[in-house]
Amino acid sequence: MLGFAVENDLIGENLLAGAKRRGGTERSKDRVLSDAEVKALWEALETSVGPSIKLALRTILLTCARPGEVAAMRRDELDLDAKDGALWTIPGDRTKNGRLHVVPLSATAVACIREAMAHSDKIGGGVYVFCSRYEAAESIARHSMSQAVKRIIAAMNEAKPDSAKPFSPHDLRRTGATLARAEGAERDAVSALLNHTRSDVTGVYDRYDMLKEKREVVELLAKRVARIIG
């Protein structure tokens, strides 16, 4: 209800955003968008939502990062002109496992980020890449992306009836990983990009960040997405 009120400008903030759900253990989810859905989504984003939401959702797909991490992306976490390729460094206090995570960025992802920053600059934005439409100096809220996805699904189905089943922003992370694997990315490299923590003894001692391998994943993913969207 509060999410609906925010999206319809009835209130400025969802006070329950981020509150944990009550109940038992979450069940594993496996929703992955098909190539046709990815293409339809990419097109629907042009007209269904504002620039920040559009570019944030595309960035989730292209980086396989968690929606909350993308929503709170800061300019000082980025090195878009790094000699060996653009990088996004997520500090440990913003990752699920508490470990600093370096994300290589493809040219397509960099284009999304630069466009988002240009939009933010036009409306007086601050340190965040994807700014809120209510306060330019603040980041977009994760729940705003979830609400936007519902409108996007409606737009996709309006353009082509029954073409899109429900999905969430987090499903774009899973979709990106699946597309990269389909394009030939190694499983361990994809796992590293997802920042999954190894629980065995080797995982405790192995601190190699697999930056080279992660870059190969994002490049393969960008290649796959480019082919899908034409």
Side-chain angles (χ1 to χ4, degrees), residues 7 15 21 24 35 100 110 118 123 131-132 134 136 144 186 212 217:
E7 289 302 312
L15 298 179
R21 295 178 180 272
D35 286 7
L100 179 146
V110 169
I123 57 177
C131 65
S132 168
Y134 298 107
S144 295
E186 295 293 333
K212 177 183 176 181
V217 175

Side-chain angles (χ1 to χ4, degrees), residues 75-209:
R75 296 178 185 230
D76 57 10
E77 296 170 354
L78 297 166
D79 186 352
L80 302 184
D81 299 309
K83 180 179 178 181
D84 296 323
L87 298 171
W88 169 31
T89 301
I90 311 174
D93 61 3
R94 291 212 300 106
T95 62
K96 187 175 182 179
N97 60 15
R99 292 176 56 177
L100 179 146
H101 180 44
V102 181
V103 182
L105 300 170
S106 65
T108 312
V110 169
C112 288
I113 291 169
R114 288 194 186 280
E115 184 179 344
M117 290 193 295
H119 167 69
S120 177
D121 288 341
K122 288 180 181 178
I123 57 177
V127 300
Y128 295 102
V129 173
F130 305 103
C131 65
S132 168
R133 64 174 177 172
Y134 298 107
E135 178 55 58
E138 299 294 331
S139 68
I140 58 174
R142 180 176 174 176
H143 75 270
S144 295
M145 291 193 289
S146 297
Q147 292 297 321
V149 163
K150 295 179 181 179
R151 298 199 304 273
I152 294 166
I153 293 171
M156 291 167 67
N157 286 325
E158 183 177 350
K160 185 178 180 181
D162 301 321
S163 62
K165 297 178 181 178
F167 63 88
S168 70
H170 192 88
D171 293 330
L172 298 180
R173 166 177 158 90
R174 186 182 302 107
T175 298
T178 302
L179 292 176
R181 286 282 292 143
E183 196 65 17
E186 295 293 333
R187 184 181 297 275
D188 284 350
V190 173
S191 180
L193 181 64
L194 293 169
N195 198 21
H196 285 168
T197 302
R198 292 182 60 179
S199 58
D200 59 10
V201 175
T202 302
V204 173
Y205 287 94
D206 182 3
R207 297 300 184 181
Y208 173 54
D209 62 10

Side-chain angles (χ1 to χ4, degrees), residues 63-78:
T63 62
C64 300
R66 292 181 171 85
E69 294 169 345
V70 171
M73 181 187 288
R74 295 171 56 98
R75 296 178 185 230
D76 57 10
E77 296 170 354
L78 297 166

Side-chain angles (χ1 to χ4, degrees), residues 33-43 45 57-64 106 108-109 112 172-173 175-183 217-230:
L33 277 67
S34 67
D35 286 7
E37 287 178 316
V38 170
K39 179 177 176 63
L41 167 63
W42 198 275
E43 294 172 349
L45 286 171
L57 290 172
R58 287 180 176 175
T59 301
I60 294 171
L61 177 66
L62 292 164
T63 62
C64 300
S106 65
T108 312
C112 288
L172 298 180
R173 166 177 158 90
T175 298
T178 302
L179 292 176
R181 286 282 292 143
E183 196 65 17
V217 175
V218 297
E219 296 298 344
L220 286 170
L221 174 54
K223 178 181 176 182
R224 179 82 172 198
V225 170
R227 190 163 66 249
I228 289 172
I229 66 175

